[in-house]
Amino acid sequence: MINKIALIGGGNIGGVLAQEIVRRRLAREVAMVDVKEPELAKGKMLDISEGSPILHSDVVASGSRDYSVISGADMVINTAGVPRTRRADGSIPTREELLKTNLAITDAVSAGIKQYCANAIILSIANPLDAIVYRLNMNLQPPRERLMGMAGVLDSARYRYFVAQEAGVSVDSVAAMVLGGHGDSMVPVRSACRIAGMPVEKFVAPEKLENIEERTRKAGGEVVKLLGVGSAFVSPAWCALEMAEAIIFDQKKILPTSVLLQGEYGVRGLFVGVPAVLGANGVEKVLEIDLTDSEQAAFMKSVTSVQGTSEEVLALLNK
Ligand code: APR
Protein backbone atom coordinates (compact mmCIF):
# COMPACT_ATOMS: atom_id res chain seq x y z
CA MET A 1 0.00 0.00 0.00
CA ILE A 2 1.23 3.51 -0.77
CA ASN A 3 0.06 6.72 0.76
CA LYS A 4 -1.78 8.52 -2.04
CA ILE A 5 -2.83 7.92 -5.64
CA ALA A 6 -3.99 10.86 -7.73
CA LEU A 7 -6.43 10.32 -10.58
CA ILE A 8 -6.40 13.10 -13.14
CA GLY A 9 -9.62 12.81 -15.11
CA GLY A 10 -12.69 11.31 -13.52
CA GLY A 11 -14.60 10.15 -16.55
CA ASN A 12 -15.22 6.54 -17.53
CA ILE A 13 -11.72 5.20 -16.92
CA GLY A 14 -11.10 7.40 -13.88
CA GLY A 15 -14.33 6.14 -12.32
CA VAL A 16 -13.33 2.47 -12.67
CA LEU A 17 -9.85 3.27 -11.34
CA ALA A 18 -11.29 4.94 -8.25
CA GLN A 19 -13.64 2.04 -7.52
CA GLU A 20 -10.90 -0.53 -7.91
CA ILE A 21 -8.38 1.40 -5.81
CA VAL A 22 -10.88 1.56 -2.96
CA ARG A 23 -11.88 -2.08 -3.40
CA ARG A 24 -8.26 -3.33 -3.60
CA ARG A 25 -6.99 -0.91 -0.92
CA LEU A 26 -4.04 0.13 -3.05
CA ALA A 27 -3.41 3.39 -1.16
CA ARG A 28 -4.48 5.06 2.05
CA GLU A 29 -5.95 7.87 -0.04
CA VAL A 30 -7.21 8.28 -3.59
CA ALA A 31 -7.86 11.78 -4.92
CA MET A 32 -9.54 12.62 -8.21
CA VAL A 33 -9.37 15.92 -10.07
CA ASP A 34 -11.70 16.62 -12.99
CA VAL A 35 -12.62 20.01 -14.42
CA LYS A 36 -16.15 18.93 -15.34
CA GLU A 37 -18.94 21.00 -13.77
CA PRO A 38 -20.70 21.15 -11.51
CA GLU A 39 -18.45 18.84 -9.44
CA LEU A 40 -18.06 15.53 -11.28
CA ALA A 41 -15.02 14.35 -9.30
CA LYS A 42 -16.46 15.33 -5.95
CA GLY A 43 -19.72 13.57 -6.79
CA LYS A 44 -18.05 10.35 -8.00
CA MET A 45 -15.80 10.15 -4.97
CA LEU A 46 -18.70 10.86 -2.58
CA ASP A 47 -20.67 8.06 -4.23
CA ILE A 48 -17.73 5.68 -3.79
CA SER A 49 -17.06 6.81 -0.20
CA GLU A 50 -20.67 6.24 0.76
CA GLY A 51 -20.40 2.67 -0.55
CA SER A 52 -17.05 2.00 1.13
CA PRO A 53 -18.54 0.43 4.29
CA ILE A 54 -19.94 -2.33 2.09
CA LEU A 55 -16.40 -3.06 0.87
CA HIS A 56 -15.00 -2.79 4.42
CA SER A 57 -12.57 -0.25 2.96
CA ASP A 58 -11.19 2.75 4.83
CA VAL A 59 -9.42 4.18 1.79
CA VAL A 60 -10.06 7.93 1.87
CA ALA A 61 -11.60 9.03 -1.44
CA SER A 62 -11.87 12.69 -2.36
CA GLY A 63 -12.57 14.64 -5.52
CA SER A 64 -12.44 18.21 -6.72
CA ARG A 65 -12.26 20.53 -9.71
CA ASP A 66 -9.21 22.05 -8.06
CA TYR A 67 -5.84 20.42 -8.64
CA SER A 68 -4.81 21.01 -5.01
CA VAL A 69 -6.71 17.80 -4.17
CA ILE A 70 -3.82 15.75 -5.64
CA SER A 71 -1.27 17.41 -3.37
CA GLY A 72 1.50 15.07 -2.18
CA ALA A 73 0.46 12.05 -4.29
CA ASP A 74 3.04 9.25 -4.73
CA MET A 75 1.46 8.07 -7.97
CA VAL A 76 -0.55 9.81 -10.68
CA ILE A 77 -2.77 8.01 -13.17
CA ASN A 78 -3.70 10.36 -16.00
CA THR A 79 -6.85 9.89 -18.06
CA ALA A 80 -7.64 13.54 -18.72
CA GLY A 81 -8.64 13.94 -22.32
CA VAL A 82 -11.33 13.47 -24.85
CA PRO A 83 -11.96 9.84 -25.87
CA ARG A 84 -12.71 8.59 -29.36
CA THR A 85 -16.43 8.90 -30.05
CA ARG A 86 -18.41 7.89 -33.10
CA ARG A 87 -19.38 10.93 -35.17
CA ALA A 88 -22.93 11.56 -36.44
CA ASP A 89 -21.89 10.22 -39.88
CA GLY A 90 -20.75 6.95 -38.28
CA SER A 91 -17.02 7.54 -38.81
CA ILE A 92 -14.54 7.27 -35.97
CA PRO A 93 -11.81 9.85 -35.34
CA THR A 94 -8.27 8.48 -35.27
CA ARG A 95 -6.31 8.78 -32.06
CA GLU A 96 -4.15 11.39 -33.80
CA GLU A 97 -7.17 13.59 -34.48
CA LEU A 98 -7.57 13.83 -30.75
CA LEU A 99 -4.06 15.16 -30.51
CA LYS A 100 -4.63 18.87 -30.55
CA THR A 101 -7.42 18.90 -27.99
CA ASN A 102 -5.68 16.48 -25.70
CA LEU A 103 -2.33 18.29 -25.84
CA ALA A 104 -3.89 21.44 -24.41
CA ILE A 105 -5.43 19.33 -21.66
CA THR A 106 -2.04 17.66 -21.07
CA ASP A 107 -0.42 21.03 -20.52
CA ALA A 108 -2.95 21.76 -17.77
CA VAL A 109 -2.34 18.29 -16.32
CA SER A 110 1.44 18.89 -16.34
CA ALA A 111 1.04 22.19 -14.53
CA GLY A 112 -1.06 20.48 -11.84
CA ILE A 113 1.48 17.70 -11.35
CA LYS A 114 4.36 20.18 -11.27
CA GLN A 115 2.65 22.26 -8.61
CA TYR A 116 1.27 19.55 -6.35
CA CYS A 117 3.18 16.27 -6.71
CA ALA A 118 6.27 16.81 -8.81
CA ASN A 119 7.98 13.62 -7.57
CA ALA A 120 5.12 11.23 -8.24
CA ILE A 121 5.40 8.21 -10.53
CA ILE A 122 3.19 9.00 -13.51
CA LEU A 123 1.19 6.43 -15.44
CA SER A 124 -0.62 7.94 -18.41
CA ILE A 125 -3.54 6.43 -20.32
CA ALA A 126 -4.92 9.37 -22.33
CA ASN A 127 -4.76 9.12 -26.14
CA PRO A 128 -2.94 9.45 -28.47
CA LEU A 129 -0.95 7.56 -25.90
CA ASP A 130 2.63 7.87 -27.09
CA ALA A 131 2.26 11.55 -27.94
CA ILE A 132 0.64 12.50 -24.64
CA VAL A 133 3.42 10.78 -22.67
CA TYR A 134 5.93 12.55 -24.91
CA ARG A 135 4.34 15.90 -24.06
CA LEU A 136 4.23 15.10 -20.33
CA ASN A 137 7.92 14.33 -20.58
CA MET A 138 8.64 17.61 -22.39
CA ASN A 139 6.76 19.55 -19.75
CA LEU A 140 7.94 17.74 -16.65
CA GLN A 141 11.29 16.12 -17.57
CA PRO A 142 11.13 13.52 -14.82
CA PRO A 143 13.73 10.74 -14.48
CA ARG A 144 12.74 8.17 -17.10
CA GLU A 145 11.77 5.54 -14.53
CA ARG A 146 9.01 7.80 -13.23
CA LEU A 147 6.96 8.36 -16.39
CA MET A 148 5.29 5.68 -18.47
CA GLY A 149 2.30 5.03 -20.68
CA MET A 150 -0.23 2.21 -20.50
CA ALA A 151 -1.13 0.71 -23.86
CA GLY A 152 0.78 -2.53 -24.38
CA VAL A 153 -0.79 -4.26 -21.39
CA LEU A 154 -4.23 -3.59 -22.90
CA ASP A 155 -3.22 -4.50 -26.45
CA SER A 156 -1.61 -7.70 -25.12
CA ALA A 157 -4.67 -8.55 -23.01
CA ARG A 158 -6.83 -8.23 -26.12
CA TYR A 159 -4.44 -10.47 -28.09
CA ARG A 160 -4.42 -13.01 -25.24
CA TYR A 161 -8.22 -13.03 -25.06
CA PHE A 162 -8.64 -13.58 -28.80
CA VAL A 163 -5.99 -16.34 -28.86
CA ALA A 164 -7.51 -18.06 -25.81
CA GLN A 165 -10.94 -18.05 -27.46
CA GLU A 166 -9.61 -19.48 -30.70
CA ALA A 167 -7.48 -22.13 -28.97
CA GLY A 168 -10.23 -23.05 -26.51
CA VAL A 169 -7.97 -22.58 -23.49
CA SER A 170 -7.98 -20.34 -20.42
CA VAL A 171 -6.82 -16.77 -20.88
CA ASP A 172 -4.49 -17.55 -17.99
CA SER A 173 -2.58 -20.04 -20.13
CA VAL A 174 -1.82 -17.49 -22.85
CA ALA A 175 1.18 -15.16 -22.61
CA ALA A 176 1.61 -12.43 -25.21
CA MET A 177 3.34 -9.12 -25.88
CA VAL A 178 2.17 -6.34 -28.15
CA LEU A 179 4.90 -3.76 -28.68
CA GLY A 180 5.49 -0.49 -30.53
CA GLY A 181 3.11 2.45 -30.62
CA HIS A 182 -0.53 2.38 -29.53
CA GLY A 183 -2.01 2.78 -32.97
CA ASP A 184 -2.80 0.68 -36.00
CA SER A 185 0.93 -0.03 -36.42
CA MET A 186 1.26 -1.80 -33.06
CA VAL A 187 3.13 -5.12 -33.22
CA PRO A 188 1.58 -8.28 -31.79
CA VAL A 189 4.75 -10.33 -31.32
CA ARG A 190 3.72 -13.79 -32.48
CA SER A 191 7.09 -15.32 -31.60
CA ALA A 192 6.53 -14.27 -27.97
CA CYS A 193 2.98 -15.60 -27.84
CA ARG A 194 2.95 -18.84 -25.86
CA ILE A 195 0.28 -21.18 -24.64
CA ALA A 196 1.55 -22.85 -21.48
CA GLY A 197 5.09 -22.22 -22.69
CA MET A 198 4.45 -23.73 -26.16
CA PRO A 199 4.48 -21.72 -29.40
CA VAL A 200 1.02 -20.40 -30.23
CA GLU A 201 1.26 -21.91 -33.74
CA LYS A 202 0.90 -25.34 -32.13
CA PHE A 203 -2.69 -24.40 -31.26
CA VAL A 204 -3.83 -21.81 -33.81
CA ALA A 205 -3.38 -21.90 -37.60
CA PRO A 206 -1.30 -19.06 -39.15
CA GLU A 207 -4.21 -17.55 -41.09
CA LYS A 208 -6.34 -17.49 -37.91
CA LEU A 209 -3.45 -15.79 -36.10
CA GLU A 210 -3.25 -13.19 -38.83
CA ASN A 211 -6.94 -12.39 -38.32
CA ILE A 212 -6.45 -12.22 -34.56
CA GLU A 213 -3.49 -9.86 -34.93
CA GLU A 214 -5.47 -7.61 -37.25
CA ARG A 215 -8.40 -7.64 -34.84
CA THR A 216 -6.00 -6.77 -31.99
CA ARG A 217 -4.70 -3.73 -33.91
CA LYS A 218 -8.25 -2.53 -34.46
CA ALA A 219 -9.70 -3.68 -31.12
CA GLY A 220 -10.08 -0.18 -29.65
CA GLY A 221 -12.12 0.94 -32.67
CA GLU A 222 -14.29 -2.19 -32.51
CA VAL A 223 -15.40 -1.24 -28.99
CA VAL A 224 -15.87 2.44 -29.93
CA LYS A 225 -18.24 1.39 -32.75
CA LEU A 226 -20.27 -0.86 -30.47
CA LEU A 227 -20.55 1.63 -27.61
CA GLY A 228 -21.70 4.51 -29.76
CA VAL A 229 -20.46 6.99 -27.15
CA GLY A 230 -16.92 6.98 -25.75
CA SER A 231 -14.30 4.26 -25.86
CA ALA A 232 -13.27 1.18 -23.88
CA PHE A 233 -12.94 1.98 -20.21
CA VAL A 234 -13.07 -1.10 -17.98
CA SER A 235 -10.22 -3.01 -19.59
CA PRO A 236 -7.93 0.08 -19.84
CA ALA A 237 -8.49 0.76 -16.12
CA TRP A 238 -7.74 -2.84 -15.12
CA CYS A 239 -4.62 -2.85 -17.29
CA ALA A 240 -3.32 0.39 -15.78
CA LEU A 241 -3.88 -1.13 -12.34
CA GLU A 242 -1.83 -4.17 -13.38
CA MET A 243 1.05 -1.73 -13.86
CA ALA A 244 0.22 0.29 -10.74
CA GLU A 245 0.15 -2.84 -8.58
CA ALA A 246 3.52 -3.97 -9.97
CA ILE A 247 4.91 -0.65 -8.74
CA ILE A 248 2.99 -0.40 -5.45
CA PHE A 249 3.91 -3.94 -4.41
CA ASP A 250 7.41 -3.84 -5.97
CA GLN A 251 6.57 -6.94 -7.98
CA LYS A 252 9.25 -6.57 -10.68
CA LYS A 253 6.65 -7.65 -13.26
CA ILE A 254 7.68 -7.61 -16.89
CA LEU A 255 4.98 -5.70 -18.73
CA PRO A 256 4.84 -4.00 -22.11
CA THR A 257 5.24 -0.34 -21.20
CA SER A 258 5.48 2.86 -23.21
CA VAL A 259 8.78 4.24 -22.00
CA LEU A 260 11.34 6.77 -23.15
CA LEU A 261 13.88 4.80 -25.16
CA GLN A 262 17.50 5.81 -24.67
CA GLY A 263 19.16 3.77 -27.39
CA GLU A 264 17.40 0.45 -26.79
CA TYR A 265 16.15 -1.09 -30.03
CA GLY A 266 18.27 1.57 -31.76
CA VAL A 267 15.75 4.28 -30.78
CA ARG A 268 16.41 7.40 -28.74
CA GLY A 269 14.08 10.09 -27.41
CA LEU A 270 10.71 8.48 -28.24
CA PHE A 271 8.11 6.77 -26.07
CA VAL A 272 7.57 3.31 -27.50
CA GLY A 273 5.97 0.20 -26.06
CA VAL A 274 8.63 -2.32 -25.01
CA PRO A 275 8.90 -4.93 -22.26
CA ALA A 276 10.00 -3.35 -18.98
CA VAL A 277 10.48 -4.46 -15.39
CA LEU A 278 8.09 -2.50 -13.14
CA GLY A 279 8.84 -2.21 -9.43
CA ALA A 280 8.86 0.28 -6.57
CA ASN A 281 11.01 2.72 -8.53
CA GLY A 282 8.75 2.65 -11.58
CA VAL A 283 10.39 1.49 -14.80
CA GLU A 284 13.37 -0.35 -13.35
CA LYS A 285 14.69 -1.92 -16.53
CA VAL A 286 13.96 -1.89 -20.25
CA LEU A 287 14.33 -5.32 -21.87
CA GLU A 288 15.39 -5.92 -25.45
CA ILE A 289 13.73 -9.09 -26.70
CA ASP A 290 14.67 -11.00 -29.83
CA LEU A 291 12.31 -10.38 -32.71
CA THR A 292 12.04 -12.24 -36.00
CA ASP A 293 13.04 -10.24 -39.08
CA SER A 294 9.43 -9.45 -39.99
CA GLU A 295 8.60 -8.46 -36.40
CA GLN A 296 11.67 -6.23 -36.30
CA ALA A 297 10.58 -4.56 -39.54
CA ALA A 298 7.04 -4.06 -38.19
CA PHE A 299 8.47 -2.66 -34.94
CA MET A 300 10.59 -0.11 -36.82
CA LYS A 301 7.54 0.85 -38.90
CA SER A 302 5.64 1.45 -35.69
CA VAL A 303 8.53 3.52 -34.30
CA THR A 304 8.36 5.66 -37.46
CA SER A 305 4.67 6.24 -36.84
CA VAL A 306 5.34 7.22 -33.18
CA GLN A 307 8.06 9.56 -34.44
CA GLY A 308 5.56 11.20 -36.79
CA THR A 309 3.12 11.78 -33.95
CA SER A 310 5.89 13.13 -31.70
CA GLU A 311 6.96 15.52 -34.47
CA GLU A 312 3.35 16.71 -34.66
CA VAL A 313 3.50 17.41 -30.93
CA LEU A 314 6.56 19.59 -31.51
CA ALA A 315 4.98 21.30 -34.51
CA LEU A 316 1.80 22.11 -32.58
CA LEU A 317 3.97 23.62 -29.85
CA ASN A 318 5.22 26.22 -32.27
CA LYS A 319 1.75 27.25 -33.44
N1 APR B 1 -8.03 18.26 -15.96
C1 APR B 1 -8.68 17.20 -15.41
N2 APR B 1 -9.60 16.49 -16.07
C2 APR B 1 -9.92 16.86 -17.30
C3 APR B 1 -9.28 17.96 -17.94
C4 APR B 1 -8.30 18.67 -17.22
N3 APR B 1 -7.67 19.72 -17.74
N4 APR B 1 -9.79 18.08 -19.19
C5 APR B 1 -10.69 17.09 -19.34
N5 APR B 1 -10.77 16.35 -18.21
C6 APR B 1 -11.64 15.23 -17.92
C7 APR B 1 -13.02 15.35 -18.57
O1 APR B 1 -13.83 16.28 -17.89
C8 APR B 1 -13.52 13.92 -18.48
O2 APR B 1 -14.36 13.71 -17.36
O3 APR B 1 -11.13 14.01 -18.41
C9 APR B 1 -12.24 13.07 -18.35
C10 APR B 1 -12.08 12.05 -19.44
O4 APR B 1 -13.07 11.11 -19.24
P1 APR B 1 -13.91 10.44 -20.42
O5 APR B 1 -14.31 11.50 -21.38
O6 APR B 1 -14.99 9.60 -19.80
O7 APR B 1 -12.83 9.53 -21.15
P2 APR B 1 -12.30 8.06 -20.73
O8 APR B 1 -13.11 7.03 -21.39
O9 APR B 1 -12.14 8.02 -19.25
O10 APR B 1 -10.87 8.09 -21.47
C11 APR B 1 -9.87 9.01 -21.09
O11 APR B 1 -8.10 7.68 -21.97
O12 APR B 1 -8.19 5.76 -23.30
C12 APR B 1 -8.02 7.13 -23.28
O13 APR B 1 -8.85 7.78 -25.44
C13 APR B 1 -9.10 7.83 -24.07
O14 APR B 1 -7.99 9.94 -24.10
C14 APR B 1 -9.04 9.20 -23.50
C15 APR B 1 -8.69 8.96 -22.03
Side-chain angles (χ1 to χ4, degrees), residues 7-15 33-37 40 44 65 67 78-84 95 98 102 104-109 125-128 132 150 154 182 230-233 236:
L7 303 177
I8 305 189
N12 280 334
I13 299 180
V33 59
D34 194 301
V35 294
K36 202 174 236 169
E37 295 180 357
L40 175 80
K44 279 206 176 174
R65 289 180 56 214
Y67 270 80
N78 173 40
T79 63
V82 179
R84 290 205 285 172
R95 291 186 177 91
L98 291 183
N102 284 349
I105 293 173
T106 305
D107 289 344
V109 168
I125 306 179
N127 274 319
I132 297 290
M150 189 296 293
L154 174 59
H182 184 51
S231 53
F233 57 98

Side-chain angles (χ1 to χ4, degrees), residues 2 54 95 108 117 143 150 168 170 190 193 212 255 284 287 293:
I2 56 173
I54 307 304
R95 291 186 177 91
C117 50
M150 189 296 293
S170 164
R190 194 183 299 181
C193 186
I212 285 173
L255 296 171
E284 299 194 347
L287 301 173
D293 288 348

